[in-house]
Structure formats: C-alpha cells, structure tokens
Amino acid sequence: MSRSGLVAALSALALLTGCGAAQAPAAPPLASGPADPTATAPSATAAAPASCAATTYDRLGDRQRWAQLVVIGVPAGGVSAAARTALGLEPGGIILTDGESASADAVTKVVTSAQATGGGEVPLLVSADQEGGQVQELEGPGFPTMPTALAQGRDAAGLRADAKSWGQAVRDVGVTVNLAPVADVVDPSLGKQNAPVGRFDRQYGDDAATASAGVRAFVAGMRDADVAPTLKHFPGLGEVRQNTDFAGGVVDSTTGPDSPTLQSFAAGIRAGAPLVMMSSARYTRIDPDAQALFSSRVMNDLLRGRLGFQGVIMTDDVGAAAALADTPVGARATKFLAAGGDLVLTIRPGDLAPMLDAITAAAREPAFAARAQDAVRRVLAFKEQQGILRC
C-alpha cells in the first residue's frame, strides 16, 4: 500500500448508486431419488436460518455498525495510547504499522491485546502490508524476508507456494488480511520515474500478461494460507509520476475503462481476491470530476459493473496521504461511502472518532444511511466468510 473535492451535499447523496448486491445463494440441489410419501412438505413461509453476519448486524447499535467501516493503525511493537483509545470504539479492523523490527512474538501479543480491547463484540480484521522488498511491514525476527514483487514475478510458477509460506508466517501471529498484491502495471516508458510503484519494484511486470500471472499466483498462495489478499491500487498507479502519499492533485490522463492495464485486476478478481483497494489519484478518462476513491463511476460502474467485483472495496490510507489533505477527516469517510466504498483505512487512530461523527450525521439522510448499511453488511459477511466472525 502506498501510504497513502469538497464534501458532497447531503441532498446529492440520493443521486448516488450503492454497491452491487451480493450474489444470491445457490438453489438447493434437486432430490435424486424417489419422493418419500411420508415426508412433510416444508412450510411455504419457512425462512432459511439467518447468517451470522445478519444476526450480528441486527444486535449492533448504529455507532457500532459505522465503526465496522473503519480500519485504524496500531503499532506492531506495542499498542499505543492513541490506538488503545480508538480500539475502545470497536473499529472494524487494524493495520499493523512500524513493524520493521517487531518480532513474531511481539506482534502476536499486540494482536491479542487489540482483539481483547476492540474485538470483543465483533472480531477485528488484522491487516499488514506484506508485499515484499521495501514494502514489508513485518520483517523482524520470526518473519521471512520477501523479495520485491518484480523479482517474485520472474518465477510465477513457484510464486504460489512462496506466497503460501509468507502468508502462513503472518497468519500465525493473527494477521487475516494482506494488503497485497500490487496489481498496477507500470508504463515501461516511466520505469523508476513512476514514484508510487516503479521506483520500488512493487509491480510484477511491465505488461499486463506478466503482471496478471504474478497477481494470480500471489492471490492463490495467500488464500491457501487462509489470508485474504487485497488488489491495489485500482484502477492503477502505473501511469503517474507522483506518489499520492506525498503529493496532491495526482492525475492519470491515460487509463480508461478499456485499458489493458486493468487486466491484472480482472485476473486477481477471477482468482478470488476478496478485497480491492482504491487509488487516491484522479482518472480523467474515467471520471474527470472526482478522485477514484470518491468516484461512483470508478467503483460502481467500472469495478463492480464491468469487472464484476462483489467483494469489499477499501481505501488506501486516508490519514496521512497528501492527496487527501484538502478533504476534512470526516468527509474522507462519508464521500467514499456515498460513492460506493465499504472500508476506510487510516493509519491515524485519532481519525476514528471524527469519522464516526461524520458518518452518524450523514446517516440522517436516508439514501446515505442505506448505502452505509449495505457497506456494514458487506464487511460483516466478509468476516464471516473468512472465519473471523462466528456465532
């Protein structure tokens, strides 16, 4: 993940479309043998048992529900005072930060403490940036060293097994979400001049086919390790020079809805990646009026509509990113949710309270409330599918 618009008027929220609905459950199989004449016909009004996600949703208060939509930063070497305060508000998850020297034992203690403080009602998602190379948050004693994605991509055939072993190492300390792989395809004419990705060899290759092969293998390996992989940074940061972590007004005037560079994201979706992280850049050929994380055209029309993604859409870091500096903290959450997103990531734990205040205020408008409720249900369903939420 790279460390990484005024607030839309509430009256405009009614014009925004929500996320695509979750796929309908498959019909039960037809009986293959003769009918049992003594069997009692099922009642026409009998309902299927409610899912754990549904029953959890029903017992949460509104503020608890909105808290499920935010992931906060927690230092991997020890829970800070600010993080402990925010954990008391029961966020949806945490991202482990500052973990370069933290041992596996230390990280396990942090995750256990965080779950005890903030995950009593609904267990936390625990995420980490484990791409490889210079973007490997957990690399202290007990964690294997991961090569850059560019190096990983040179051996796509062996990458699945490698990714499984890397995933098992973080799963053993309680990590359930890896904020990787990078699915961006770097323009070869930019190379190292592409600050967010190419400069650090975070891409699997400089063409869609090579990148797609690496993404598929990494996604499969993480899933083999029971760690949820995250495709990033949709719809791609391979055509820009500046890094949204450190620069505002980053614009991609090349990527469009039919660009071949989207193929690696499509490959990751087909491989079963359950999360997609949004870019904070603006894409003039898709939506010239909004950054990707605030754009219904990017999230609903392109990602959900054309690419068929049904999982959780999340932000890149909206806490410290320069690309979001002109947007108030609370609006970073409400604008993203209103446009079709599900899960807000901020490395600053102090952002949680103002985000909850903003979501609560915006939810007085029925269209926004319905959109936010849909996001909560999607996050809870994801937790249940991953075995994090059990009833």
Side-chain angles (χ1 to χ4, degrees), residues 161-217:
D162 288 340
K164 179 180 179 180
S165 68
W166 300 329
Q168 288 172 331
V170 295
R171 191 67 177 85
D172 287 345
V173 301
V175 172
T176 50
V177 173
N178 188 3
L179 300 178
V182 169
D184 307 333
V185 180
V186 175
D187 187 333
S189 68
L190 288 176
K192 297 288 186 180
Q193 297 178 66
N194 172 250
V197 180
R199 181 173 297 173
F200 305 105
D201 294 340
R202 299 171 69 193
Q203 75 277 27
Y204 288 95
D206 297 333
D207 63 88
T210 304
S212 295
V215 166
R216 282 194 298 267

Side-chain angles (χ1 to χ4, degrees), residues 217-311:
F218 193 92
V219 166
M222 284 292 149
R223 286 174 57 88
D224 290 343
D226 198 25
V227 174
T230 307
L231 304 177
K232 61 186 186 185
H233 313 79
F234 190 80
L237 284 173
E239 299 283 358
V240 301
R241 291 178 180 270
Q242 295 176 301
N243 189 332
T244 54
D245 284 353
F246 311 113
V250 179
V251 175
D252 177 336
S253 57
T254 301
T255 303
D258 297 312
S259 292
T261 53
L262 296 178
Q263 292 173 11
S264 51
F265 288 96
I269 291 169
R270 289 193 297 269
L275 303 106
V276 170
M277 177 184 289
M278 301 304 301
S279 161
S280 298
R282 187 185 305 265
Y283 297 80
T284 57
R285 291 188 57 205
I286 304 173
D287 186 349
D289 300 321
Q291 292 163 275
L293 79 165
F294 299 146
S295 171
S296 179
R297 293 181 192 175
V298 175
M299 291 190 284
N300 286 328
D301 298 347
L302 181 56
L303 180 55
R304 292 214 187 277
R306 296 188 65 165
L307 270 65
F309 181 63
Q310 295 294 313

